Amino acid sequence: MIYKIRVILDTEEDIFRDLEIDDSNTLEEFHNAVTQAFGFMGTEMASFYTCDREWNQDEEIALFDMSESGSNVRLMNETILNDVLTENNPKLIYVYDFLSMWTFFIELADIVEKEDGRIYPNVLFSFGELPDSPPEKSFESKPSIDFDDNFESYDDLDFDENWN
């Protein structure tokens, strides 16, 4: 079967690509299709994340296992697209280049029969141009301490002054 997928850049402007890809492709092949569709070189680290229908991030599926002690990280080249993207779980989050944090929302739009003579993956539609730099991220976590310039005592910071 062929998945029709919308890949949306997390930005205020509408920037997205509609792709067709065989549901039996790996996530690494899908990663390559996404990077090419948006004009990236494809040389940076990237991960997909499973998520629920409200885009709450869950399990990471990484391009490479960067852990020092062989962890149980799921890898893109070992994960088939239809194992993580289905009608019941139609969404993924994709992050490309962890220094720049290009973030994309992936949504399964349709499942169709393969067409003879068509080459997959295929870009169906392209809307908007990728900006020169990634959109600014605003993280909503707030510090537990109100930092100001009036520190008279470090006792409230809970660290040992003689740590070395």
Side-chain angles (χ1 to χ4, degrees):
M1 300 302 293
I2 298 300
Y3 278 2
K4 291 187 176 188
I5 299 171
R6 178 155 286 175
V7 182
I8 306 164
L9 177 62
D10 183 17
T11 185
E12 289 182 24
E13 303 83 33
D14 289 336
I15 301 171
F16 63 89
R17 306 292 183 264
D18 291 341
L19 305 174
E20 289 180 311
I21 189 166
D22 195 304
D23 70 340
S24 64
N25 282 126
T26 65
L27 282 182
E28 184 175 20
E29 292 166 314
F30 183 46
H31 151 79
N32 291 333
V34 171
T35 57
Q36 290 172 10
F38 281 92
F40 291 116
M41 296 297 292
T43 57
E44 302 296 334
M45 286 298 301
S47 285
F48 286 98
Y49 297 88
T50 59
C51 61
D52 62 20
R53 291 185 181 265
E54 285 77 42
W55 301 104
N56 295 309
Q57 184 176 312
D58 191 22
E59 180 185 15
E60 178 182 16
I61 305 166
L63 184 58
F64 300 107
D65 184 357
M66 298 298 288
S67 65
E68 293 179 17
S69 61
S71 67
N72 293 331
V73 174
R74 247 174 122 172
L75 299 175
M76 288 184 201
N77 67 345
E78 299 172 349
T79 306
I80 304 300
L81 189 57
N82 65 20
D83 286 342
V84 292
L85 194 65
T86 66
E87 287 183 88
N88 293 330
N89 296 307
K91 297 180 179 184
L92 291 171
I93 297 169
Y94 173 68
V95 177
Y96 177 77
D97 186 354
F98 291 112
L99 294 177
S100 298
M101 294 297 290
W102 292 96
T103 304
F104 299 86
F105 298 107
I106 310 287
E107 190 159 14
L108 179 62
D110 200 7
I111 302 172
V112 297
E113 294 289 329
K114 184 181 265 189
E115 290 183 34
D116 291 335
R118 184 168 292 214
I119 297 172
Y120 301 99
N122 177 43
V123 177
L124 288 171
F125 186 71
S126 177
F127 187 87
E129 290 189 31
L130 195 69
D132 292 334
S133 59
E136 292 290 323
K137 301 286 183 235
S138 62
F139 298 100
E140 296 182 24
S141 63
K142 296 178 182 167
S144 59
I145 298 172
D146 183 23
F147 289 100
D148 58 22
D149 295 334
N150 298 328
F151 279 125
E152 295 173 11
S153 170
Y154 289 103
D155 294 337
D156 295 336
L157 293 179
D158 193 29
F159 73 91
D160 184 4
E161 291 179 30
N162 300 314
W163 61 274
N164 58 356

